[in-house]
Amino acid sequence: MPREQPQWIIDRRRDLGDRVRRLRLNADHTQESFAELTGIDRRTLQRIEAGTSDPRYSDLLRIAAALDQRVSVLVD
């Protein structure tokens, strides 16, 4: 049975999703084009941007590389 996450984790996950979305849009990518660029399923990107899932570290690395950013920019 999954544990319920504390609110501060939910908030941080939403912040991460907002950052990814903002940076993706600033780079003029749709979710579909960004999914192709990163090799991450579009539905997975939707969940990350919505803050409803915890992204794998490898996904964060792919996202950061596609945006020419450090992972720390995403999770700061």
Side-chain angles (χ1 to χ4, degrees):
M1 177 184 293
R3 292 185 307 197
E4 192 167 322
Q5 298 291 334
Q7 188 61 45
W8 67 270
I9 290 178
I10 294 168
D11 293 342
R12 293 291 303 267
R13 203 167 47 202
R14 285 185 187 140
D15 291 343
L16 168 68
D18 290 343
R19 260 186 234 102
V20 169
R21 181 183 307 107
R22 181 176 36 82
L23 290 167
R24 174 182 59 79
L25 292 173
N26 286 344
D28 291 326
H29 283 288
T30 64
Q31 282 185 339
E32 188 171 310
S33 69
F34 199 61
E36 288 180 29
L37 179 64
T38 60
I40 300 170
D41 181 70
R42 186 178 60 83
R43 184 68 185 127
T44 299
L45 285 172
Q46 287 175 326
R47 289 181 185 125
I48 292 169
E49 289 187 1
T52 59
S53 73
D54 289 318
R56 296 180 310 202
Y57 185 64
S58 59
D59 291 340
L60 292 176
L61 290 171
R62 289 172 184 253
I63 291 168
L67 294 168
D68 196 28
Q69 298 287 331
R70 298 177 59 100
V71 172
S72 61
V73 170
L74 302 177
V75 296
D76 188 29

